[in-house]
Amino acid sequence: MSKVQISNVVVLNNPAPFQSPFQFEVTLECIEDLPSDIECKIVYVGSAESEEYDQVLDSVLVGPVPAGRHMFVFQAEAPDPSKIPVQDALGVTIVLVICSYLGKEFVRVGYYVNNDYTDPELRENPPEIPQFDKVQKNILATNPRVTRFKIDWENTEIQPPQVNDMPASSSSQEEAMVQMPPVEMSMDAWHSDKNNLSSRVNRKP
C-alpha cells in the first residue's frame, strides 16, 4: 500500500503566456510519518520523439513528512526555448509532475499542453522561427493522466505502474482541481496526431 497519495492538484495561472511560470498546488496525503524527504519535480516534454529534449524545470524536497495532509504550491520557470526542436515548438506536448521517495518514483501526473499563437494571423501563417513571446500555453487541466508505481517504501523496489485518468472541476478563476475517482480521458478538442505522447506519461522510470 502506498504511504503517500496525491489527493488533489490545482493548475494555477492557466492559460498563460508561454514564458510565464508553471504553477501547481499539490496536496499530499501521508498515512504515516516518513523519515526521508519526498522529491517533486516538474518535467517539460520538449519532443514526443525523444527524451533527449525533456527539461527538468524545477525540483524540490518536501520533508521529513509527518502523517496527515500537506499542501504546497510548486512553481517552475518556463522551459528554455532554445532546447525545444523547432518542429515541436507549437502544438500539443506534455508537462509532468513527478514525485519520488528515496530515489524511486511512486506517482506522476501528466497534463497535455497546447502551445499556439493568440494572434489569428500568426496562427494562419506561423513564422519559420517560433516567436515564443507571442505564444500562449493552455494546459488541459480537466483531464490529467495519473500513473502510480508500487514501491517498497523501506527498500524502494519499484513495481509495474497503475494508470488512471482523473477528472477535474473548473473554477471561475480559470483554475482546475484534480480529484478521484478515475474517468476516461478525451483529447478530441486538441485535434492532435501525437498519440505517442501518451506513452511518456506512463513510462516506467
Side-chain angles (χ1 to χ4, degrees), residues 59-200:
S59 178
V60 297
L61 296 176
V62 181
V65 184
R69 176 178 294 183
H70 308 279
M71 184 180 69
F72 63 97
V73 174
F74 193 5
Q75 177 172 305
E77 294 302 314
D80 183 349
S82 67
K83 297 179 180 179
I84 302 174
V86 172
Q87 66 272 19
D88 295 307
L90 301 178
V92 178
T93 187
I94 283 175
V95 64
L96 302 168
V97 178
I98 297 175
C99 295
S100 305
Y101 186 71
L102 296 178
K104 295 296 183 181
E105 180 182 337
F106 63 89
V107 66
R108 69 174 57 182
V109 183
Y111 291 92
Y112 287 93
V113 184
N114 188 52
N115 297 313
D116 204 354
Y117 292 110
T118 56
D119 187 327
E121 185 174 342
L122 288 175
R123 285 202 301 266
E124 186 70 24
N125 300 291
E128 292 186 7
I129 299 178
Q131 299 180 15
F132 287 96
D133 60 330
K134 298 179 180 178
V135 173
Q136 182 185 72
K137 63 185 176 189
N138 190 358
I139 301 173
L140 185 60
T142 55
N143 283 298
R145 171 69 63 87
V146 178
T147 306
R148 299 178 178 87
F149 302 91
K150 292 183 179 179
I151 64 172
D152 184 322
W153 290 83
E154 306 299 330
N155 300 317
T156 63
E157 294 179 354
I158 197 163
Q159 302 296 325
Q162 296 179 335
V163 183
N164 298 111
D165 299 318
M166 300 200 306
S169 59
S170 299
S171 75
S172 59
Q173 298 179 350
E174 295 185 327
E175 300 174 355
M177 180 163 33
V178 181
Q179 292 182 324
M180 296 181 72
V183 297
E184 291 299 319
M185 180 175 67
S186 172
M187 281 299 298
D188 292 343
W190 295 109
H191 302 289
S192 171
D193 60 356
K194 294 184 177 179
N195 295 325
N196 55 340
L197 276 170
S198 61
S199 65
R200 302 297 308 282

Side-chain angles (χ1 to χ4, degrees), residues 42-55:
I42 296 176
V43 177
Y44 183 86
V45 176
S47 173
E49 304 302 323
S50 173
E51 296 178 31
E52 174 187 355
Y53 301 104
D54 287 5
Q55 297 186 46

